[in-house]
Amino acid sequence: RADYQEEHPARGGVTTPFPLKLHEMLIATSAEGMEDVVSWQPHGRCFLVHKPKEFVELLPRFFKLSKLASFQRQLNLYGFQRLTRGRDRGGYYHELFLRNRTF
């Protein structure tokens, strides 16, 4: 993937698609012990922002965003659904966005 991106730079300023950046962010925050801020749910089919104020501080590191509303808008544009019931309440879900899925 990295070799292809070097040989074929993206047009229009978008280098990495939002869902891929999101997946990379969830991997990084887990590796850095920040699962108390944002994490996959144990089953790996959705993720949850546990501490919105701290999460907003992470956004610029992974995305060209600084507001939670902008992040949520991106999720909506890519077809993520906010879960409103059950034990995953408040989480974000997309049928193709899974913890162990490779892109």
Side-chain angles (χ1 to χ4, degrees), residues 5 26 35 71 79 94:
Q5 285 181 342
L26 288 163
E35 290 179 313
F71 176 76
H94 189 288

Side-chain angles (χ1 to χ4, degrees), residues 3-98:
D3 294 337
Y4 179 84
Q5 285 181 342
E6 287 173 19
E7 294 175 26
H8 301 86
R11 295 189 178 120
V14 178
T15 52
T16 307
F18 176 81
L20 188 55
K21 283 185 186 181
L22 177 58
H23 206 270
E24 290 169 354
M25 180 203 67
L26 288 163
I27 291 169
T29 53
S30 174
E32 295 169 22
M34 293 189 288
E35 290 179 313
D36 61 320
V37 178
V38 60
S39 70
W40 289 102
Q41 288 293 74
H43 49 64
R45 293 187 302 273
C46 73
F47 73 95
L48 189 60
V49 176
H50 306 285
K51 297 180 179 176
K53 288 180 182 175
E54 291 179 34
F55 179 71
V56 167
E57 294 172 14
L58 289 175
L59 284 177
R61 188 173 143 200
F62 297 98
F63 308 98
K64 293 179 181 176
L65 302 170
S66 60
K67 296 180 182 174
L68 185 58
S70 300
F71 176 76
Q72 291 170 325
R73 185 168 189 273
Q74 286 294 312
L75 290 172
N76 290 334
L77 286 170
Y78 279 93
F80 282 80
Q81 297 174 344
R82 180 106 192 237
L83 302 171
T84 57
R85 285 183 245 162
R87 60 187 183 130
D88 296 328
R89 185 172 182 229
Y92 294 94
Y93 163 82
H94 189 288
E95 65 180 345
L96 301 176
F97 192 75
L98 307 168

